[in-house]
Amino acid sequence: PVTMKVGVAHIGRTSHTLAIALFSEGRCAGLAKVVLVNSDENGPAPIPQEWRETLSRYVLPPDLSDQ
C-alpha cells in the first residue's frame, strides 16, 4: 500500500501551496508541491479568512516546507 501525507507549505494572498509525500513500505516514494489558486468570475481572489484559519492548522515547519 501507498500512504500519502499532505501539509500546507505556504499561504499567500490568493493561493496556497500543498506539500505532498508518498510512502511505500516505510520509505519515501515521491514528493510533490501543488499550488492552488482561489478565484472567482474575475480571476484570482483573496483567500477567505475562514479558509486561512483552517489552512493554518496544517502549516508545515519551515524546514519541511522548503524541500
Side-chain angles (χ1 to χ4, degrees):
V2 175
T3 302
M4 180 172 68
K5 301 210 175 189
V6 180
V8 177
H10 176 74
I11 303 171
R13 191 178 76 77
T14 62
S15 66
H16 63 283
T17 303
L18 300 179
I20 303 164
L22 300 175
F23 296 90
S24 178
E25 298 179 7
R27 296 178 63 167
C28 184
L31 298 171
K33 281 193 176 179
V34 178
V35 177
L36 300 165
V37 178
N38 187 53
S39 64
D40 61 19
E41 62 278 353
N42 299 314
I47 298 172
Q49 187 59 35
E50 183 179 335
W51 294 11
R52 285 181 176 285
E53 291 168 6
T54 299
L55 289 167
S56 68
R57 293 194 300 240
Y58 302 99
V59 171
L60 297 169
D63 59 326
L64 294 176
S65 300
D66 296 334
Q67 296 186 15

